[in-house]
Amino acid sequence: MSLKIFLIVFICCSVAITLGFSVWAFMMYQQNTQTGYLLAAIAAIGSGIGLIVYGSNFLKKMKKIL
């Protein structure tokens, strides 16, 4: 497996984990109404969006190189 494929798979898994964590944190916020869960959900969504942007920029850069 090439490094490019590994990084794409790793980024996709990271996005899935962060978005899954954000769903869990939001569900916990709905049950407990503690602001820590809401802040964790917002931070995880931001991290997931950041990973998506990073992944798309990585793919664009790899197309130029290869």
Side-chain angles (χ1 to χ4, degrees), residues 25-66:
F26 187 71
M27 288 176 15
M28 292 301 291
Y29 172 71
Q30 287 179 336
Q31 292 176 0
N32 298 332
T33 63
Q34 294 178 354
T35 58
Y37 288 121
L38 182 61
L39 293 175
I42 292 169
I45 289 171
S47 297
I49 291 171
L51 283 168
I52 291 170
V53 170
Y54 172 76
S56 66
N57 287 338
F58 173 75
L59 287 175
K60 287 178 188 176
K61 186 176 280 191
M62 289 307 290
K63 285 182 183 178
K64 290 179 185 177
I65 292 173
L66 298 176

